Amino acid sequence: MSSELSTLTVTMVSVSDTAGGAEAHTVALGQGLRQRDHHVLLYGRCPGWTEQGLDRREIALGPKWSRRTMAAGVLRVPVERHRTRRIADASVYHLQFKREQIALTGPLSRRAPVVWTEHGRWLGGPAGRLLLTGYARAAGNVSRVVCVSAAVADDLAPVIGRDKLIVVPNAIDTARYVAPPAAARAALRERLLPSRFHERRVAILAARLHAAKRHDRAIAAALASGSALMVVGDGPDRTRLERLAAGSADVHFTGHRDDVPDLLAAADLYLYCGAATDGTPTSVLEAAAAGLPIVAFHDDPGTELVPHCGGLLITEPAELSPERAAALDDQRGSGVAYVERRHGRETWLDAYEQVFRECSR
């Protein structure tokens, strides 16, 4: 068998208990590589991984690094490096979170090439500066860094060097998201939306509810436009957001849902809010693939997608007037072709497969 057709063993080391964009990316990559007959194994934890029948091993790493856990996490680094001895040999190792990248790249790179994926912009403030020295040192042992956007690559170029960076935009399974005909959409609205929303313009956001994303802006924009709002997802900021929306029958929180494609298809527009460190938001791609026009805020990451996907950029929530919201009806469906062409799953998998093959030679 030629090297171009040989089977790869891709081992991912990733510990997370939160279902977010990076975790969905990991599961999709594992699924896609397995469907292409490669061996894929996860050491650690990732929501959705075992549910898809993918293989996993425990490695007993501590929690994912954050501002709250970082100090204790740094103290655990020697022990966690020692635990990499439990990880089986592979064609390539794939890491995506700072703890795994900084702490584990060195020992793993002595056994096989290491590839990182960077999902977002560099973390600012004292925490970002604290990480930078260790990150730069670990980058000396990485073979390739896949960045989800050009902006992410620009952040890393002074630290890593352009020769190790490659931009592979996030992708979605476009077959899961459709802009349904009127009759099918009416049936979805009847089945999925609260009855008080059936005759209303319905905005939706589907995301992890984290304070850094400032989803309060979406609530304010929906109310300013006279739209009802479906808030799909869960996270640490949900309680605060529910408190902000208290007393309004126009805002409905669904919690985590597995039928997001159908909920998107039932809505009229998508409200996107991004954290400063976000990369390419898959939520925008999913909404556009479902035919929704996008309303986003100037200077949030990922808003360069909006002109291609149909929609509107605003600075303040009050700018989304009822008239501007109504005008978005004319842009319904305008982003479908763009997402299919630029952010389809197969092209994305081709790029990752090529990176892994080139590194493993």
Side-chain angles (χ1 to χ4, degrees):
M1 183 181 295
S2 73
S3 61
E4 288 297 318
L5 300 177
S6 62
T7 298
L8 297 168
T9 298
V10 179
T11 295
M12 304 184 182
V13 185
S14 182
V15 175
S16 177
D17 296 307
T18 301
E23 291 77 12
H25 180 284
T26 299
V27 174
L29 185 57
Q31 284 181 296
L33 292 171
R34 184 180 62 178
Q35 289 167 0
R36 294 185 176 199
D37 296 323
H38 299 298
H39 302 303
V40 186
L41 179 63
L42 171 72
Y43 279 84
R45 298 185 303 278
C46 179
W49 185 270
T50 54
E51 291 84 344
Q52 295 300 324
L54 295 163
D55 293 332
R56 183 184 81 87
R57 302 287 184 272
E58 186 53 71
I59 191 177
L61 300 180
K64 182 177 171 182
W65 280 1
S66 67
R67 288 180 174 89
R68 180 177 56 83
T69 65
M70 192 181 303
V74 170
L75 294 176
R76 281 194 300 269
V77 166
V79 172
E80 295 187 341
R81 283 178 175 162
H82 182 76
R83 287 179 178 157
T84 61
R85 297 180 184 183
R86 304 179 189 179
I87 298 175
D89 290 341
S91 307
V92 64
Y93 296 111
H94 177 256
L95 312 178
Q96 64 174 343
F97 294 130
K98 295 297 179 290
R99 184 267 305 280
E100 289 84 349
Q101 292 168 345
I102 292 172
L104 308 184
T105 295
L108 290 174
S109 68
R110 291 191 282 272
R111 299 168 56 188
V114 175
V115 174
W116 295 349
T117 292
E118 288 297 344
H119 295 279
R121 306 296 302 274
W122 188 258
L123 184 68
R129 292 191 293 272
L130 179 64
L131 286 172
L132 190 59
T133 300
Y135 185 86
R137 186 181 300 115
N141 294 311
V142 74
S143 293
R144 210 68 185 268
V145 181
V146 181
C147 303
V148 302
S149 72
V152 172
D154 289 342
D155 282 353
L156 298 180
V159 179
I160 295 178
R162 289 282 180 186
D163 58 316
K164 289 187 177 182
L165 302 177
I166 180 172
V167 176
V168 179
N170 279 338
I172 62 169
D173 181 0
T174 55
R176 293 189 64 215
Y177 301 90
V178 296
R185 183 164 171 267
L188 287 171
R189 290 174 68 90
E190 180 76 20
R191 178 167 62 87
L192 296 174
L193 303 184
S195 58
R196 65 186 186 275
F197 288 3
H198 288 173
E199 303 303 322
R200 302 282 305 280
R201 174 173 295 102
V202 176
I204 187 171
L205 70 85
R208 181 169 181 255
L209 304 182
H210 192 284
K213 296 180 183 288
R214 297 180 291 159
H215 285 121
D216 49 284
R217 295 176 295 167
I219 294 174
L223 296 177
S225 71
S227 303
L229 175 64
M230 296 282 287
V231 181
V232 182
D234 214 336
D237 201 34
R238 178 173 174 175
T239 300
R240 183 183 74 92
L241 294 172
E242 287 179 327
R243 190 164 57 246
L244 285 174
S248 175
D250 288 343
V251 183
H252 179 69
F253 289 80
T254 72
H256 174 78
R257 294 285 289 259
D258 293 321
D259 57 349
V260 172
D262 286 343
L263 287 165
L264 291 172
D268 296 289
L269 61 97
Y270 190 87
L271 284 166
Y272 164 66
C273 300
T277 56
D278 285 354
T280 302
T282 55
S283 61
V284 170
L285 301 177
E286 292 165 354
L292 296 184
I294 313 297
V295 176
F297 290 83
H298 282 291
D299 300 326
D300 277 14
T303 51
E304 70 277 1
L305 293 170
V306 173
H308 302 290
C309 294
L312 174 68
L313 287 174
I314 59 178
T315 302
E316 299 293 338
E319 293 176 19
L320 188 62
S321 64
E323 294 76 20
R324 298 184 86 178
L328 291 170
D329 291 346
D330 294 336
Q331 298 192 49
R332 188 173 182 87
S334 61
V336 172
Y338 174 81
V339 174
E340 289 179 345
R341 184 174 68 254
R342 296 292 300 273
H343 296 276
R345 185 64 55 80
E346 291 306 309
T347 300
W348 176 78
L349 283 169
D350 288 344
Y352 265 96
E353 193 175 35
Q354 182 177 347
V355 169
F356 290 153
R357 286 196 184 282
E358 289 177 350
C359 290
S360 64
R361 287 173 183 165

